[in-house]
């Protein structure tokens, strides 16, 4: 790699590697794969938690689930947590639920620092 051609080859290899890395990073945003209870579903008052499985690992300190009832008050029983054994799995334990519509608002920060967020509702009957 002492010739100018060698250096040029090395430089372009690095540039190629970096651009591949950038492409992969751009797709590392975390999106929900499975929501329990499912978005738009109806469940009963025995529901004790909301769990979301994401397609990428999450940063526990910056990711959250907040569940609110009709009054807008959170019904989370404490903070949501990212499972230690599976950083794609985030759970929020719930206070006992009464009949009504609940909104789940989630924030997911992937390992690359990119943030996604969304919300959906489910009904307790
Ligand atoms: Cu990303």
């Amino acid at each position: 790699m002492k010739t100018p051609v060698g250096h040029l080859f090395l430089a372009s290899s690095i540039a190629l590697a970096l651009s591949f890395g950038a492409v992969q990073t751009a797709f590392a945003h975390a999106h929900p794969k499975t929501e329990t209870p499912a978005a738009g579903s109806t469940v009963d008052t025995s529901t004790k938690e909301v769990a979301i499985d994401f397609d990428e690992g999450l940063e526990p300190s910056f990711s959250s689930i907040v569940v609110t009832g009709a009054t807008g008050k959170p019904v989370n029983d404490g903070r949501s947590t990212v499972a230690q054994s599976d950083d794609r799995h985030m759970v929020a334990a719930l206070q006992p639920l009464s009949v009504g519509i609940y909104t789940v608002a989630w924030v997911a920060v992937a390992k690359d620092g990119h943030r996604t967020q969304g919300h959906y509702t489910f009904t307790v009957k």
Side-chain angles (χ1 to χ4, degrees), residues 51-100:
I52 307 178
D53 284 297
F54 290 84
D55 57 0
E56 293 289 336
L58 306 179
E59 283 295 343
S61 4
F62 302 110
S63 303
S64 63
I65 295 174
V66 177
V67 184
T68 51
T71 61
K73 271 176 66 179
V75 295
N76 286 42
D77 185 19
R79 298 184 61 139
S80 59
T81 52
V82 173
Q84 280 188 340
S85 55
D86 179 3
D87 63 7
R88 301 176 181 208
H89 187 74
M90 184 157 57
V91 180
L94 303 176
Q95 298 162 8
L97 298 183
S98 48
V99 168

Side-chain angles (χ1 to χ4, degrees), residues 10 29 120 122:
L10 184 63
H29 301 63
Y120 60 91
F122 67 90

Side-chain angles (χ1 to χ4, degrees), residues 25-29 110 112 114:
T25 300
F27 285 105
H29 301 63
D112 66 359
H114 289 153

Side-chain angles (χ1 to χ4, degrees), residues 110-125:
K111 295 295 182 189
D112 66 359
H114 289 153
R115 175 191 162 108
T116 48
Q117 59 187 307
H119 58 87
Y120 60 91
T121 61
F122 67 90
T123 301
V124 174
K125 218 170 182 175

